Amino acid sequence: MTIVTNLGFPRIGARRELKHALESYWRGETDAAQLQATAAELRTRHWRLQRDAGVDVPPSNDFSLYDQVLDTAVLFDAIPQRYRALAQRAPLDGYFAMARGLQRDGVDLHALEMTKWFDTNYHYLVPELTRDQAFTLHADKPLSEYREARALGIETRPVLLGPVSFLRLSKATDGSDTLALLDRLLPVYAQLLAQLKDAGAAWVQLDEPVLVQDLDDTARAAFERAYRYLADVPRPQLLLATYFGALDDNLALATSLPVDGLHVDLVRAPEQLDAVLRALPATRILSLGLVNGRNIWRAALDNALILARYALGHRGPDTLWLAPSCSLLHCPVDLGQEKKLDAELRSWLAFSRQKLQELRVLADALDGKASAEVALDQARAAIESRRRSPRVHNAAVKARVAALTATDAARATPHVQRQLQQAQALRLPAFPTTTIGSFPQTQDVRLARARNKSGKLSDADYDAFLAEQTAHCVRVQEQIGLDVLVHGEFERNDMVEYFGEQLDGFAFTGNGWVQSYGSRCVKPPVIFGDVSRPAPMTVRWSRYAQSLTDKPMKGMLTGPVTVLQWSFVRDDQSRADTCTQIALALRDEVNDLEAAGIRAIQIDEPALREGLPLRRAQWQDYLDWAVRAFRISASGVADATQIHTHMCYAQFNDIIEAVAALDADVISIETSRSRMELLDAFARFDYPNQIGPGVYDIHSPRVPDSAEMVELLRKASDVLPPGKLWVNPDCGLKTRGWPETRAALEAMVGAARTLRGEVAA
Ligand code: GLN
Ligand code: ZN
């Protein structure tokens, strides 16, 4: 009997039940008991769902009220000093304070830093450790959730973040090396493993995804030390889980660790199977990650079967398990709930529940069960229909991509020349001021959109409403005295969805929610076919806004890499190809904006950096096609048209050359929180084009004064030629209110004027 196991299940709930329970708890409308009851209900439902889908061993402790890395920190009592008093008094409040910060009754606790979980769109909380960090077993979440399932008659495999990954994902606030804490951490893992064994757990899954990244000798030594230590303690059997890529040069390390089983990702890295089979001792369990936990496509079961049978040919059936490639956290819950998609498109997809059913079919097929044949046939038919569908393939798009030449990806002249023509066309002062695009998305704006969507507000009335918002926004910017204006983005819900909805090749689910962080979920568009643009997407609002003012109106687009990165992408062609198609659609939009009289166009690429592959060796390839895609979208315009881009993060050191290669005339970036420190990268590299370092943080309602911004601008002028500097906030203003937005922008314009005065004198 081939065994199917699962590495993790989405916890948010098919209807985002956990989100709603959390948010009403945070608003004080429900109490902790109600929140915990919803959480328990979801766990029960998900265990049963997995069992019914044919999973022999579902995971436990994969649930979290907020984040599994935060859970791990709390479990080991790695609670930073500032939260300790609260956490002792009220553990749940302490937990949420670490996750979200807390401002109440004179306490002001800022949250732990949040960052992306490997190359996913999930964000985890970064544990803060110190050189003298102590660890103790502080809570019993893994144990109690294991017991909870057991009481339901379901035998689970508890999941723990492995010790080396935990330390590597944490940061030391005093600059020490987190891995140096390993020896203190291991006894606590041992204690926990002993408890799980006593409770009856046969296996524990230790997630060590850092094994698919580049590791230095210290990290490798830490792995050896950790797992040698854990080999000798009383414990359940250990499954070492790796995912998101190939083990590559860490294969020998991973297969030499004294554990009882190894999970490998054969979706991202099918080519590693042979090497794994050769390296892994025959007595160990090999868990094959055969179904993609990162995407929503129905699996090509025949291909998966080939891999599984190949593995079977090399090892006994008792040592093989089937599983998804990684936790299903990154996948929506159940396609059965999906009413919005047409039947054909739906037949091409599989969400978490369906993926587990696919694994069951694979296992049954391996066991020679006749029942599997029907399911395999259905899968084959669906794959075939998708492969051949005219909805997927557009010959004109493919031909256009194939015909691209180097000239299509380059402006006609270098920036130094373009700059002169742009200066003439735009007539801007020194230190020109602008914003990043969005203005406050007030309750009114969101309500009008919702009412229009549900049919309560007619399209004509909604249009009139948007026109009024836009006109108001333009008026306010003129009053404030900004130099390059924006239309405010009131018509947009989400910066990717807005474009996806207007492009061919995109589909939208009704309930395809994926957790982004805490209670926040995203519903990524599904790119299923060749991408094309049936009609202009933004020209109308940009042209209207330009008609209201003599100042230049900046057009506003989401860039090809960001659209790609924040969608579920095709698995039947490369990301590079899909990105190029999006780039061509955007190129047409850029050209149309220019033809409509828009002289500055911003192409946002906030996701450029997060698309970086997990292994450095693959970075250059990615950066090459990503940069080319951006340039294809930006290069169809005349020299006098100014192309802007925007990125809202602060780490540019290792990608600065690619950022320069985008050849945008102006780039705006986030800098105010790091007090302009990140400009070092731009200065050291001698960044050739113009740059707008954010002069104030838009993430808080705080209104900075002019003097503060003058100081930041002076700092920037120290490292960059003042003639290249723009003045703008860190990012878009959609989450802010009007009063603070107006005040902050007035102060910002004041700061620019001060700088102009200094330069003139
Ligand atoms: N133009 C977008 C805005 O202002 C940019 C958003 C972003 O950088 N994420 O909202
Ligand atoms: Zn931004």
Side-chain angles (χ1 to χ4, degrees), residues 436 606 646-649 730-732:
I436 307 305
H646 165 72
M647 291 168 200
C648 29
Y649 43 82
D730 268 346
C731 192

Side-chain angles (χ1 to χ4, degrees), residues 119 140 184 204 217 227-228 288 326 356 361 368 371 381 439 454 456 464 467 517 545 603 612 660 739:
D119 60 350
D140 70 345
R184 279 193 225 157
V204 162
D217 289 345
Y227 286 86
R228 217 176 311 121
L288 306 172
C326 59
L356 296 173
V361 171
S371 58
F439 266 78
S454 65
K456 287 191 199 114
Y517 63 90
I603 306 171
L612 281 173

